């Protein structure tokens, strides 16, 4: 837990195993939450800079927490020397790379950490930080020793091929790595499929294509078979691209690798079109999806306004999080109603959806509704109960767009005897299959490079991603412990409501309850809103979470 900076304790130095100089965090306490700071079970390993007594690292994979003055907390990521203390280091080849050696301060300072909260009050604690990503002076792999592999898992997402390309080119161009394997067909490909040798030439123009050249899958995560395959093939850097399930799978692989004492770095690159991964500012592919969704919304609008009482319904992806629907709605300005999983709605009666549709039809002659695929889950499962799961254990959702369209037609044609024309558009898989747009492609480069620099520097068991605009290494557990969701008591959702003029579908008592719940449980969600708004009053405690369980 964050301790008061006023407590007097010895001045320690924070060890960064990848720089030749010690970091100088004031009064940090370097410990694992499972091992008391006074225990010294695993800290006696010699380090090349001689700082072996300045820290304690657990043999167990538990959060590495450094606390400092003013409520400063660093949630650090594992490093290979945590369990392989005698690893040699090498100068980073970028030191003599003509492109990079001229860049002032190209190497990341050992003390650099990235704050999770950037809106603070005068007396608020400094709060949680993550290790800043980027190249280190020293690396733990020689270039010709590296045997990397890349795997893509879960659903498709714009930009997947760009990340693959940038990993291959980055490893090759920056670190002269020649041996890179593509694992075909997701996790199961480690033990059930062939591998593809990846070179810059092979991946040269794959960023122009949607999907993943490696293929993907759900399910099939057999940890020991996967780690056997890694060990048998002599792979020592594993780059895993995928969503929350994939990052959980990567965490288990990392644990097994650590248990076997292998010199293998495991780096996760978060992929989620739904933007449901927490901590990071946003996920790659999200901007592309929002942009592509405009075409479907535009079509729905054109259809709806061309006929009498025209209703356009567009379904967008978002199993548990309505970010795509919310941002596509805000961007389009043609949408009259946006329905997302986080905001329950109802159809009948005063303040309900039917009443609102009728009002819009009377006033404007048409209405466009955007619905996220996970919205109205309670309503739909009441009328069409179904309990199916995909191979990864995710609930298979019914087609809420179709369900809503049928219900609207039924209500207005049969019960209200109104002549309506409804067009339902489901562009979900068309959106998911496009290549990344320009901004996502640049973002993918940064993610890939962060992952490469981290693995080369010996970090492992981490996910990369921007936190308040600065790229950081985030422990797996922090991105898998919960899902990122739209906070409907936040200003962004209020902006949407004021832009569409739709009812909130919530009575004031429910809103008050939501506000209370948000403050209690979901303090971090607010810290990484896409527009960068923070609610520090809800996060003042800044306690590091033990997400080891
Ligand atoms: N708890 C877990 N432990 C180990 N492996 C897991 C776990 N959850 C999911 N996986 C594995 O991760 C892979 C991807 O999971 P999943 O299908 O849920 O997609 P995802 O990564 O969450 O992406 P998407 O955003 O498309 O859903 C699958 O191969 C699955 O078996
Ligand atoms: O049809 P699939 O491959 O199961 O994917 C559908 C799911 O994948 C996602 O796009 C996440 O990748 C969800 O929005 C959606 O529910
Ligand atoms: Mg998932």
């Amino acid at each position: 837990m964050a301790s008061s900076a006023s407590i007097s304790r010895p001045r320690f130095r924070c060890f960064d195993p990848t720089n030749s100089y010690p970091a100088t965090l004031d009064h940090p306490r370097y410990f694992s939450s499972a091992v008391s700071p006074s225990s010294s079970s695993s800290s006696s390993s010699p380090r090349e800079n001689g700082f072996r007594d300045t820290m304690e690292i657990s043999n167990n994979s538990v959060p590495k927490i450094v606390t400092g003055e003013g409520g400063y907390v660093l949630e650090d990521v594992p490093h290979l020397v945590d369990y392989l203390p005698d690893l040699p280091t090498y100068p980073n080849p970028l030191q003599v790379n003509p492109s990079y050696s001229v860049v002032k301060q190209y190497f990341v300072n050992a003390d650099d950490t990235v704050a999770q909260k950037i809106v603070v009050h005068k007396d608020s604690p400094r709060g949680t930080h993550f290790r800043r990503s980027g190249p280190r002076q020293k690396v733990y792999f020689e270039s010709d020793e590296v045997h990397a592999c890349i795997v893509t898992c879960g659903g498709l997402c714009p930009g997947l091929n760009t990340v693959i390309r940038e990993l291959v080119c980055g490893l090759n161009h920056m670190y002269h790595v020649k041996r890179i394997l593509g694992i075909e067909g997701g996790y199961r490909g480690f033990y059930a499929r062939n591998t593809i040798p990846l070179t810059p030439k092979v991946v040269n123009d794959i960023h122009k294509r949607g999907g993943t050249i490696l293929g993907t899958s759900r399910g099939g995560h057999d940890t020991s078979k996967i780690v056997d395959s890694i060990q048998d093939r002599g792979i020592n850097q594993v780059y895993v691209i995928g969503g929350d399930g994939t990052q959980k799978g990567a965490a288990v692989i990392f644990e097994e690798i650590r248990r076997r004492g292998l010199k293998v770095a495991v780096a996760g690159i978060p992929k989620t079109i739904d933007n449901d991964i927490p901590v990071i500012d946003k996920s790659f592919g999200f901007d592309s999806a929002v942009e592509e969704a405009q075409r479907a919304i535009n079509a729905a609008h054109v259809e709806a306004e061309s006929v009498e009482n025209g209703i356009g319904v567009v379904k967008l992806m978002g199993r548990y999080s309505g970010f795509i629907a919310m941002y596509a709605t805000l961007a389009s300005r043609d949408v009259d109603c946006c329905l997302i999983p986080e905001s329950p709605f109802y159809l009948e009666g005063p303040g309900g959806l039917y009443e609102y549709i009728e009002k819009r039809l009377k006033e404007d002659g048409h209405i466009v509704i955007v619905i996220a695929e996970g919205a109205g889950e309670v309503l739909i499962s009441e009328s069409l109960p179904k309990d199916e799961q995909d191979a990864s254990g995710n609930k298979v959702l019914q087609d809420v767009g179709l369900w809503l369209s049928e219900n609207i037609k039924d209500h207005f044609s049969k019960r209200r005897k109104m002549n309506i024309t409804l067009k339902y558009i489901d562009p979900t898989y068309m959106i998911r299959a496009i290549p990344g747009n320009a901004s996502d492609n640049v973002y993918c480069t940064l993610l890939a490079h962060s992952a490469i620099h981290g693995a080369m520097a010996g970090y492992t068991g981490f996910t990369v991603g921007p936190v308040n605009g600065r790229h950081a290494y985030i422990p797996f557990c922090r991105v898998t412990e919960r899902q990122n969701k739209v906070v409907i008591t936040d200003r962004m959702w209020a902006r949407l409501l004021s832009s569409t003029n739709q009812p909130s579908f919530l009575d004031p008592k429910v809103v008050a309850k939501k506000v209370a719940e948000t403050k209690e449980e979901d303090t971090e969600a607010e810290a990484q809103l896409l527009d960068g708004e923070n609610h520090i009053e809800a996060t003042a405690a800044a306690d590091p979470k033990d997400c080891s369980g």
Side-chain angles (χ1 to χ4, degrees):
M1 297 297 110
S3 53
S4 160
S6 61
I7 296 173
S8 154
R9 66 168 68 97
R11 185 185 166 86
F12 291 126
R13 275 177 285 192
C14 177
F15 172 71
D16 181 323
T18 59
N19 281 277
S20 50
Y21 45 88
T24 52
L25 290 172
D26 279 349
H27 310 291
R29 206 155 47 104
Y30 208 123
F31 67 99
S32 99
S33 60
V35 179
S36 92
S38 57
S39 132
S40 57
S41 59
S42 62
S43 61
S44 57
S45 57
R47 317 267 176 197
E48 79 281 6
N49 62 3
F51 281 94
R52 69 180 181 185
D53 296 329
T54 64
M55 60 177 286
E56 289 161 16
I57 297 172
S58 161
N59 271 334
N60 307 314
S61 184
V62 291
K64 289 169 68 177
I65 310 289
V66 180
T67 59
E69 278 185 348
Y72 173 94
V73 178
L74 166 62
E75 293 197 28
D76 208 354
V77 293
H79 193 277
L80 292 171
V81 296
D82 294 353
Y83 62 96
L84 295 171
D86 300 321
L87 288 181
T89 60
Y90 312 93
N92 191 324
L94 290 172
Q95 287 176 3
V96 290
N97 182 314
S99 307
Y100 297 97
S101 54
V102 293
V103 180
K104 203 174 156 218
Q105 291 186 332
Y106 187 70
F107 294 97
V108 169
N109 187 293
D111 283 350
D112 284 356
T113 59
V114 178
Q116 192 174 14
K117 311 269 177 277
I118 52 166
V119 179
V120 290
H121 291 176
K122 184 163 60 71
D123 299 321
S124 40
R126 293 174 66 197
T128 300
H129 294 65
F130 298 104
R131 193 171 278 284
R132 184 181 176 193
S133 72
R136 266 62 184 170
Q137 302 271 6
K138 289 191 292 183
V139 293
Y140 279 76
F141 292 92
E142 280 184 297
S143 299
D144 56 8
E145 169 198 359
V146 176
H147 190 192
C149 77
I150 304 171
V151 63
T152 52
C153 313
L156 296 182
C157 179
L160 271 170
N161 276 334
T162 315
V163 176
I164 297 169
R165 181 191 190 279
E166 297 303 289
L167 284 170
V168 174
C169 294
L171 278 164
N172 189 289
H173 298 157
M174 293 190 294
Y175 289 100
H176 316 300
V177 172
K178 302 278 183 275
R179 292 185 301 159
I180 308 167
L181 280 184
I183 306 295
E184 277 190 338
Y187 278 135
R188 67 178 82 244
F190 271 105
Y191 55 89
R193 295 279 293 273
N194 291 328
T195 54
I196 312 171
L198 298 173
T199 61
K201 200 169 169 198
V202 169
V203 299
N204 185 41
D205 59 2
I206 61 170
H207 60 292
K208 296 172 188 165
R209 280 183 252 160
T212 156
I213 58 155
L214 299 177
T216 185
S217 65
R218 298 193 188 273
H221 187 284
D222 185 323
T223 313
S224 55
K225 281 192 190 169
I226 291 169
V227 179
D228 285 350
S229 160
I230 290 168
Q231 210 172 347
D232 292 348
R233 294 176 201 274
I235 291 166
N236 50 21
Q237 291 187 2
V238 181
Y239 295 94
V240 182
I241 312 167
D244 56 339
T246 305
Q247 304 299 316
K248 284 179 197 158
V252 184
I253 292 171
F254 157 68
E255 290 299 343
E256 179 60 15
I257 282 171
R258 181 184 167 115
R259 196 188 65 75
R260 295 190 194 182
L262 306 176
K263 187 191 174 188
V264 179
V266 182
I269 294 120
K271 168 234 62 117
T272 154
I273 198 169
D274 296 353
N275 196 43
D276 57 2
I277 292 192
V279 185
I280 62 170
D281 295 342
K282 69 175 167 183
S283 44
F284 76 81
F286 177 72
D287 276 355
S288 307
V290 169
E291 199 172 294
E292 187 67 9
Q294 303 305 302
R295 299 201 314 137
I297 294 172
N298 194 38
H301 185 238
V302 169
E303 290 285 346
E305 69 172 359
S306 305
V307 292
E308 191 192 347
N309 289 335
I311 302 176
V313 176
V314 178
K315 184 178 77 170
L316 296 177
M317 276 187 170
R319 213 200 286 265
Y320 306 108
S321 311
F323 286 104
I324 300 179
M326 175 166 83
Y327 274 76
T329 296
L330 278 163
S332 146
R333 291 155 178 95
D334 283 337
V335 180
D336 302 286
C337 187
C338 173
L339 302 169
I340 60 170
E342 295 88 336
S343 179
F345 65 95
Y346 54 96
L347 301 174
E348 312 266 358
L353 184 62
Y354 293 151
E355 184 189 78
Y356 177 62
I357 294 176
E358 197 160 332
K359 183 168 178 267
R360 289 266 70 83
L361 293 180
K362 284 202 176 114
E363 287 174 8
D364 305 336
H366 70 277
I367 180 170
V368 174
I369 300 169
V370 162
I371 185 160
E373 63 180 335
E377 247 303 276
V378 177
L379 292 179
I380 195 169
S381 54
E382 273 167 10
S383 58
L384 298 168
K386 183 177 165 191
D387 199 13
E388 235 182 87
Q389 292 188 335
D390 68 17
S392 294
N394 302 305
K395 189 168 189 233
V396 175
L397 298 173
Q398 315 230 33
D399 188 340
V400 72
L402 193 59
W403 171 87
L404 183 68
S405 301
E406 293 304 323
N407 275 278
I408 292 173
K409 277 193 225 162
D410 206 54
H411 176 83
F412 286 99
S413 308
K414 292 192 188 147
R415 287 157 63 193
R416 299 292 294 155
K417 307 282 181 232
M418 284 171 68
N419 187 22
I420 60 153
T421 303
L422 185 147
K423 297 284 187 267
Y424 169 44
I425 301 177
D426 176 357
T428 47
Y429 290 105
M430 295 182 72
I431 289 173
R432 206 169 75 163
I434 62 168
N437 69 8
S439 77
D440 270 327
N441 278 342
V442 175
Y443 179 28
C444 290
T445 303
L446 269 65
L447 289 170
H449 285 198
S450 283
I452 293 168
H453 293 312
M456 289 301 297
Y459 291 110
T460 180
F462 66 87
T463 297
V464 291
V467 179
N468 294 314
R470 292 290 181 165
H471 283 252
Y473 298 133
I474 306 158
F476 278 139
C477 63
R478 291 305 308 272
V479 294
T480 56
E481 67 191 346
R482 64 174 187 82
Q483 275 165 329
N484 186 32
K485 287 183 190 269
V486 172
V487 180
I488 60 164
T489 50
D490 182 77
R491 277 200 292 274
M492 208 59 181
W493 186 243
R495 283 182 194 117
L496 180 134
L497 294 180
S498 81
S499 144
T500 59
N501 271 319
Q502 71 190 68
S504 76
F505 301 109
L506 292 172
D507 72 34
K509 276 190 221 140
V510 179
V511 174
K513 192 165 163 264
K514 280 266 168 203
V515 171
E517 278 169 9
T518 303
K519 290 202 170 181
E520 270 171 31
E521 301 164 7
D522 211 13
T523 54
E524 283 163 29
E526 300 150 21
Q528 41 109 38
L529 298 166
L530 291 166
D531 67 351
E533 291 178 32
N534 289 332
H535 295 240
I536 52 152
E537 61 275 19
T539 60
D543 277 348
K545 286 195 176 55
D546 179 348
C547 40
S548 55

